[in-house]
Amino acid sequence: MTEKTLRQPRKPKVWEALIPVAVLLVTMIIGTLVWGADPHIPLVLSCIVTALVAAMCGNSWETIITGALDSIKSAIEALLIIMCVGMLIASWVWSGTMPAMVYYGLDLISPGAFLVIGAVLCGIVGVATGSSWTASGTVGVALMGVAMGLGIDAPIAAGMVISGAYMGDKLSPMSDSTNVAAAAAGTPLYDHVRAMMTTTMPSFGLALVGYWILGMIIIDKDGYDPHLATDIQDAILDNFYISPWIILPVLVILFSAWKRIPAIPSLLLAAAFGVIIAITAQGAHFADVMIGLQTGFSAETGSEVADSLLNRGGIDSMMWTISLIMFALAYGGILEKCGFAETLMGGFVKRIKSLGGLVAATIVTGIICDVILTDQYLAIMVPGRLFAKEFDKKGVSRSFLSRTTEDGATLWSPMIPWNGCGAYQSATLGVSNWEFMPYAFMNLINPVYAIVITYLGIGIKYKEYDGLTGAELKAAKAKKKAEMKAEREARRKQA
């Protein structure tokens, strides 16, 4: 046997594929939860172990590094967006846009209504921009400030922002994750968006009910201290010129969404408007604002709460997140390129019997991929590839597959601290993922809702429905319902 034959790569065995996952989970839990360390070094160690196991399986260094670099390259635009968001936040604080949003929000929103209104606002911005990151980095950050003034705990407010932002992102045709899910499943984009309505809108409605209950009952309005809001407003007025027209950069974001301007140009345009307003309205020096775009806004307003709210932004504030995402992508890329993901997830397919089980397996696989592959896009694509043939065998539409991948992978990506989405959201909102997770109602409800209604036979998209509208669709569904009823009765008679 030649040396070339000996070095032929093979798929990892299950126990081999579990080694990098075990190393990641153990080092991450001990490092972040026990020692309080950042997740970067555990990810680096996991990359090293994954590369060593991949080499044991016959993969060359070229294959290993290609997997890591290709994964990072796929997210270059996202990394640039993160830096643009850092500049945007800094410019919006310098211009008074963010302080004005907080100032007026404290006047207009009561503690009881805050969570419902905030979730809807984040959802609208998410749909309009096609980006949960933009929604949380703009109106989401402002709402965190309003929550602070209303005496609402930051984890509750952050969970609300995540719910609204990801609902909007999920339903927007401009969203990267929406397009990736449609492409991975092989279904037209708007068929995918229509299919998601079945699970997304009811889940968001249930989330709003939860936020209404939380706002009216659990949040103690009797303990609300209006002086905290007044102190923040006074500190803002002492340090910024506040007027409704100062919020102009927000309209720039919405206009860009309407005109479908890509994310990076629209964010830079909104940041540029912020710089102009900072110089003309706030009297800031051009040099200070330029430095602030890099280092963030920094000032002492006389209010500790206001300082914690306003002293933020800048490219530097996002570098922690960017470095974490790059390590996470490298780790996930090696797992994907060298066959670890296929080995770990392929076992699900053999155990699936029913359509409900198929949906549950796809959603769970997406969530697991969020954890072990650390990247939202990989978590969408891997289940899409693994389960496509099984969905075809069940006679359901590929839009049903694409919907299911988003119900799991997209919505759970911000929950995982070392996932790219999770790292960004935690850094932007200033709340750890474990803290806001219990309050991200939309993200928690949607996967469960999707599984339950499938077992109940509700909202299933069959291939034979593709292309049908109106009366044709209604007739086809009625026929399918009758066939399923007849099939159940036949099974009962046989039993």
Side-chain angles (χ1 to χ4, degrees):
M1 188 176 290
T2 65
E3 183 179 353
K4 182 177 180 180
T5 304
L6 288 171
R7 291 182 177 275
Q8 198 73 356
R10 60 173 174 81
K11 187 187 297 186
K13 299 175 182 177
V14 173
W15 69 268
E16 292 172 326
L18 285 172
I19 293 174
V21 177
V23 170
L24 173 70
L25 295 178
V26 171
T27 57
M28 199 66 73
I29 290 171
I30 294 176
T32 60
L33 299 182
V34 179
W35 296 338
D38 290 335
H40 297 65
I41 301 306
L43 273 171
V44 172
L45 292 173
S46 301
C47 286
I48 294 171
V49 171
T50 307
L52 290 174
V53 177
M56 286 171 47
C57 295
N59 291 281
S60 66
W61 171 247
E62 287 74 18
T63 300
I64 295 169
I65 194 63
T66 297
L69 293 179
D70 284 350
S71 183
I72 294 172
K73 288 176 186 175
S74 69
I76 290 297
E77 183 179 7
L79 299 180
L80 291 173
I81 288 174
I82 294 174
M83 288 188 275
C84 290
V85 169
M87 290 188 286
L88 177 76
I89 293 173
S91 73
W92 280 20
V93 178
W94 274 97
S95 66
T97 299
M98 199 74 74
M101 293 168 69
V102 173
Y103 181 87
Y104 291 120
L106 290 172
D107 277 338
L108 298 174
I109 304 177
S110 67
F114 170 77
L115 295 176
V116 173
I117 294 174
V120 172
L121 287 175
C122 288
I124 291 171
V125 175
V127 171
T129 61
S131 171
S132 58
W133 290 16
T134 301
S136 58
T138 53
V139 68
V141 172
L143 288 170
M144 293 298 294
V146 175
M148 188 181 298
L150 295 175
I152 296 173
D153 289 343
I156 296 176
M160 172 273 294
V161 169
I162 294 295
S163 285
Y166 275 81
M167 184 282 294
D169 182 307
K170 198 165 178 272
L171 292 183
S172 176
M174 295 181 290
S175 166
D176 288 346
S177 62
T178 303
N179 281 273
V180 167
T187 189
L189 175 61
Y190 285 96
D191 286 356
H192 169 55
V193 172
R194 281 192 293 270
M196 284 196 296
M197 292 284 188
T198 307
T199 55
T200 302
M201 297 312 296
S203 297
F204 189 59
L206 292 172
L208 292 180
V209 171
Y211 289 130
W212 178 79
I213 295 172
L214 198 60
M216 298 303 292
I217 298 175
I218 299 178
I219 294 176
D220 184 9
K221 297 190 293 296
D222 294 333
Y224 168 54
D225 182 7
H227 296 295
L228 178 59
T230 303
D231 289 343
I232 293 176
Q233 287 179 316
D234 290 343
I236 288 173
L237 287 176
D238 288 342
N239 291 271
F240 296 92
Y241 165 68
I242 299 298
S243 174
W245 75 269
I246 296 292
I247 307 179
L248 178 64
V250 178
L251 299 180
V252 174
I253 286 288
L254 296 177
F255 174 80
S256 298
W258 177 50
K259 288 294 186 180
R260 299 193 176 186
I261 299 174
I264 291 176
S266 65
L267 290 171
L268 291 175
L269 182 63
F273 268 79
V275 170
I276 294 170
I277 294 173
I279 296 170
T280 57
Q282 306 298 344
H285 293 291
F286 180 76
D288 292 336
V289 178
M290 290 298 101
I291 294 172
L293 293 178
Q294 175 73 36
T295 61
F297 181 85
S298 179
E300 294 183 6
T301 64
S303 168
E304 184 177 344
V305 176
D307 287 348
S308 66
L309 166 66
L310 300 174
N311 290 342
R312 59 173 59 236
I315 294 175
D316 289 350
S317 70
M318 295 297 181
M319 297 313 296
W320 183 97
T321 305
I322 290 172
S323 58
L324 175 63
I325 291 173
M326 291 180 70
F327 287 134
L329 287 168
Y331 169 78
I334 299 171
L335 286 179
E336 169 72 5
K337 182 74 173 179
C338 298
F340 290 81
E342 186 178 351
T343 296
L344 290 172
M345 303 304 166
F348 274 119
V349 178
K350 300 176 182 177
R351 296 177 174 85
I352 297 168
K353 303 298 181 184
S354 66
L355 182 59
L358 179 60
V359 168
T362 304
I363 289 175
V364 170
T365 300
I367 293 172
I368 292 173
C369 288
D370 274 326
V371 175
I372 66 174
L373 299 183
T374 71
D375 176 64
Q376 179 191 49
Y377 301 132
L378 288 175
I380 291 171
M381 290 186 290
V382 169
R385 288 199 294 262
L386 280 177
F387 296 107
K389 292 181 180 179
E390 297 302 314
F391 274 80
D392 290 341
K393 290 177 184 177
K394 300 292 184 184
V396 292
S397 171
R398 284 295 182 94
S399 66
F400 187 65
L401 167 61
S402 62
R403 180 189 91 184
T404 305
T405 58
E406 288 237 63
D407 286 338
T410 297
L411 290 176
W412 267 73
S413 60
M415 309 290 208
I416 314 303
W418 51 87
N419 186 286
C421 293
Y424 170 82
Q425 298 296 350
S426 177
T428 300
L429 300 176
V431 180
S432 77
N433 310 77
W434 305 130
E435 289 180 313
F436 70 63
M437 181 189 290
Y439 305 105
F441 293 162
M442 167 69 188
N443 306 61
L444 297 173
I445 292 170
N446 194 312
V448 177
Y449 181 86
I451 294 170
V452 170
I453 66 169
T454 304
Y455 274 110
L456 294 176
I458 301 171
I460 300 170
K461 310 293 182 183
Y462 289 97
K463 278 184 182 179
E464 59 204 77
Y465 298 163
D466 289 348
L468 300 182
T469 58
E472 293 178 336
L473 180 61
K474 186 176 180 180
K477 286 184 175 180
K479 180 181 178 182
K480 188 69 179 182
K481 187 175 180 180
E483 290 175 351
M484 292 176 67
K485 183 178 179 180
E487 186 179 341
R488 285 195 298 269
E489 289 177 354
R491 283 201 300 265
R492 278 198 298 268
K493 288 179 179 179
Q494 290 177 357

